[in-house]
Amino acid sequence: NAFANRLFTVLAEQPANQGKNVCVAPMSMQYMLSMIANGAEESLQREIVAALGFENIGQLNADNLALHDKLAQDAAYVQVGLSNGMWLDQQRSYLPAFQSTMQNYYMADMQTAGFYDTKNHPSINAAIDAWAKEHTNGQIKTLPIDLNILTRLVSVSANYFDAKWASPFDPAVTKQQPFYNAKGQSANVMTMSQTLAANYDTDDVQQMVELPYGQGYFSMIVAMPKQPEQLDILIQHADWWRWHEQMTYGRAEVKLPRFAISSCQADVATMLDALNMPNVNEATYPYIATGTPLELSTIIHSVSIKVDENGTKAASAAGGKMDDLIAPYTPTLAFDHPFIFAIRENTTGAILFMGKVVQP
């Protein structure tokens, strides 16, 4: 999860995101970057693979396929969708080796579009938006991909998550309670509450709880610093696997605000240095299609998440445009000031969604 934590930290630290809710979907970003890595020059391919935390492109492709297959293991309570799509200029052709890898490891929907004629761009944008909407059950309605005369390929990875809590909150108990921002100012928000047996941990610095979905293959870990001003430090040192391991199982009263977040980061390509991929924008991708090698110009990351008494609905779409995670007493864990969360697949620890909530 090194890449997931780094992506979350980088996006949360952006000046435009200060004092705002932020949500990211590391899985869709990983898949989008993995796909284009298969078409990159060898040195760039090694850079992307290493930044994602893998040793080689073969291991990356195999693990992505294995994780894709594992996501369907709790279908009765948790619905997870991971879809990949590509649109290539009609005047180009996918190279056979690249197309085979995309279809066999990523189940990619590989299409063509008339990028060469700018008159087609509105209809192409509409088609990509419709694809994203369909593959996120309507949660991601648009991807602001700025097509231009040089656009030759658009790659999109969409992730959908609809899960029911293993122990749902009773809506009759939900009520207005104060939530304090980093400055100590409070606002009343609808706060869910229940006493349940769960994994949790609390000390003088932070508190956390793990709320499982369905049969327990997936869960949400919620972590909050005891001092609101320590939120950024908590984000920078987040270790969801270690936190999961250090928690103890027991009864606790959990108070968690209902929240819904939507965010779209259209300039991820400018943050690649901080993500340990400084050359992604500078190198070429000669092994995707026929014709002049492609170069990456834009990466867009759009995420939507809603948490209520029944469970969680979340969706994301990451797009790239190419041009030429028993106590003897019952503690109360009230998440009443800014906190962070991560939704994990528990057998692997892979993070699907994560975010910070500064105002529910």
Side-chain angles (χ1 to χ4, degrees):
N1 288 319
F3 171 73
N5 291 332
R6 191 160 50 247
L7 175 66
F8 180 37
T9 300
V10 170
L11 292 181
E13 288 178 344
Q14 296 304 305
N17 291 332
Q18 297 307 300
K20 294 182 179 179
N21 296 332
V22 174
C23 49
V24 302
M27 195 61 60
S28 58
M29 281 294 296
Q30 174 176 314
Y31 274 69
M32 193 277 292
L33 289 167
S34 297
M35 290 192 293
I36 66 171
N38 280 275
E41 297 173 332
E42 185 176 355
S43 60
L44 176 61
Q45 183 179 95
R46 289 197 301 266
E47 179 178 296
I48 297 174
V49 169
L52 292 176
F54 294 83
E55 294 183 0
N56 56 65
I57 192 69
Q59 181 197 43
L60 175 62
N61 291 336
D63 279 22
N64 281 335
L65 176 61
L67 183 59
H68 182 279
D69 293 341
K70 186 177 283 289
L71 294 180
Q73 61 191 333
D74 196 4
Y77 302 94
V78 180
Q79 297 178 12
V80 183
L82 183 56
S83 304
N84 302 303
M86 281 192 169
W87 291 261
L88 178 68
D89 190 279
Q90 289 176 344
Q91 297 182 340
R92 304 283 188 97
S93 298
Y94 293 106
L95 293 177
F98 180 80
Q99 185 168 9
S100 176
T101 298
M102 293 302 100
Q103 293 175 335
N104 292 332
Y105 288 92
Y106 295 90
M107 282 63 71
D109 182 7
M110 306 187 75
Q111 305 183 35
T112 58
F115 291 116
Y116 59 91
D117 188 344
T118 56
K119 293 180 181 178
N120 295 330
H121 288 182
S123 62
I124 296 172
N125 268 324
I128 294 173
D129 287 346
W131 185 94
K133 183 177 180 179
E134 176 186 354
H135 289 86
T136 61
N137 278 21
Q139 291 197 62
I140 303 295
K141 296 180 174 58
T142 183
L143 276 175
I145 297 177
D146 185 19
L147 304 178
N148 58 57
I149 196 171
L150 295 176
T151 302
R152 294 296 176 264
L153 182 138
V154 171
S155 174
V156 178
S157 182
N159 196 356
Y160 172 71
F161 183 83
D162 188 348
K164 296 179 175 62
W165 298 121
S167 178
F169 291 83
D170 183 354
V173 180
T174 300
K175 62 182 180 180
Q176 294 271 359
Q177 293 192 4
F179 187 91
Y180 301 87
N181 64 20
K183 297 180 180 180
Q185 301 165 331
S186 68
N188 288 331
V189 300
M190 295 302 292
T191 302
M192 308 177 296
S193 179
Q194 69 166 307
T195 299
L196 75 166
N199 291 322
Y200 71 90
D201 186 65
T202 182
D203 55 32
D204 293 337
V205 177
Q206 64 190 38
Q207 68 180 37
M208 62 188 73
V209 68
E210 183 170 17
L211 302 174
Y213 299 101
Q215 301 179 69
Y217 291 109
F218 297 85
S219 66
M220 173 186 285
I221 296 178
V222 186
M224 183 185 76
K226 291 296 181 67
Q227 301 299 322
E229 62 272 15
Q230 298 296 309
L231 182 67
D232 290 340
I233 295 176
L234 185 66
I235 293 172
Q236 294 167 9
H237 296 88
D239 188 336
W240 302 95
W241 185 269
R242 178 174 61 82
W243 290 348
H244 168 77
E245 292 293 307
Q246 77 183 39
M247 285 189 280
T248 57
Y249 187 77
R251 293 190 66 78
E253 182 182 13
V254 176
K255 296 183 178 182
L256 180 70
R258 293 194 311 214
F259 63 89
I261 309 174
S262 294
S263 67
C264 183
Q265 198 81 41
D267 56 349
V268 180
T270 65
M271 308 171 197
L272 293 173
D273 277 6
L275 294 173
N276 296 334
M277 290 177 278
N279 298 305
V280 167
N281 287 333
E282 299 175 0
T284 59
Y285 299 78
Y287 306 120
I288 293 179
T290 57
T292 306
L294 302 172
E295 63 179 8
L296 184 70
S297 62
T298 305
I299 297 177
I300 296 172
H301 188 54
S302 183
V303 186
S304 174
I305 185 166
K306 180 182 179 180
V307 175
D308 60 21
E309 290 84 354
N310 295 317
T312 301
K313 291 185 178 182
S316 69
K321 178 172 71 75
M322 287 185 166
D323 297 340
D324 226 8
L325 175 330
I326 283 187
Y329 66 100
T330 302
T332 297
L333 304 175
F335 293 87
D336 59 359
H337 57 261
F339 57 86
I340 59 176
F341 67 89
I343 297 174
R344 315 183 333 143
E345 194 286 319
N346 288 322
T347 63
T348 62
I351 296 174
L352 281 71
F353 295 89
M354 59 204 306
K356 69 171 181 176
V357 178
V358 299
Q359 182 58 60

